[in-house]
Amino acid sequence: MTDMTANELVKKLNSIGTCMFTTVDQNHRIVSRPMGVTEIDDQHKFWFFTPLNSDKIEDIIGEGEVNLSFVDSHTWVSIAGSAQVIADLERKKELWDLGPKAYFEGGPEDPNAVLIEVTPETAQYWEGPGKAAALVKMAKASLSSETPNMGDQGRVEL
């Protein structure tokens, strides 16, 4: 198993770009929705634009605990952390790009455009060989007494 550094993990997450953003709603149900990451900053905080009137805002204000799940063809990452709503105009201007521009007609000054800042607490990753290679490894292992090596896994301090 190879240990992944925080910077290596952030690089992978930036290439994936979209995650399932999971909150706990007011009825204590787990709710997930896809969201594009606007930025992962130097302190490894995750930034997202969202409408102020979205359900996730109420979930964050209520509990604040979130999970971000990222997946590509060979990598799975689960990040648990705490979230807060940020309405800072200067920060919105710094992060403004094509993504939020498509959703908020009023630009960064749009009062319905807010940021969610997620401070990660734990990060776990799994890297596998991909579907075809995994099938070959499982088939080979089923014909022998060996357990297949299905990739690396680990925790990263962010």
Side-chain angles (χ1 to χ4, degrees), residues 38-114:
T38 300
E39 179 185 71
I40 305 172
D41 68 21
D42 292 340
Q43 298 168 340
H44 304 133
K45 292 183 179 183
F46 294 75
W47 293 86
F48 301 86
F49 270 95
T50 195
L52 180 59
N53 61 0
S54 70
D55 291 339
K56 70 183 121 351
I57 296 298
E58 189 173 318
D59 298 348
I60 290 167
I61 291 170
E63 293 289 328
E65 299 301 314
V66 299
N67 183 272
L68 310 176
S69 300
F70 294 82
V71 176
D72 73 4
S73 61
H74 300 277
T75 305
W76 297 263
V77 180
S78 175
I79 296 175
S82 58
Q84 61 179 335
V85 179
I86 307 289
D88 180 83
L89 179 58
E90 290 308 310
R91 187 66 174 134
K92 290 193 301 182
K93 286 179 179 179
E94 289 172 18
L95 296 175
W96 196 256
D97 64 11
L98 187 61
K101 189 175 186 176
Y103 291 95
F104 303 104
E105 294 178 10
E109 295 84 5
D110 189 324
N112 195 40
V114 295

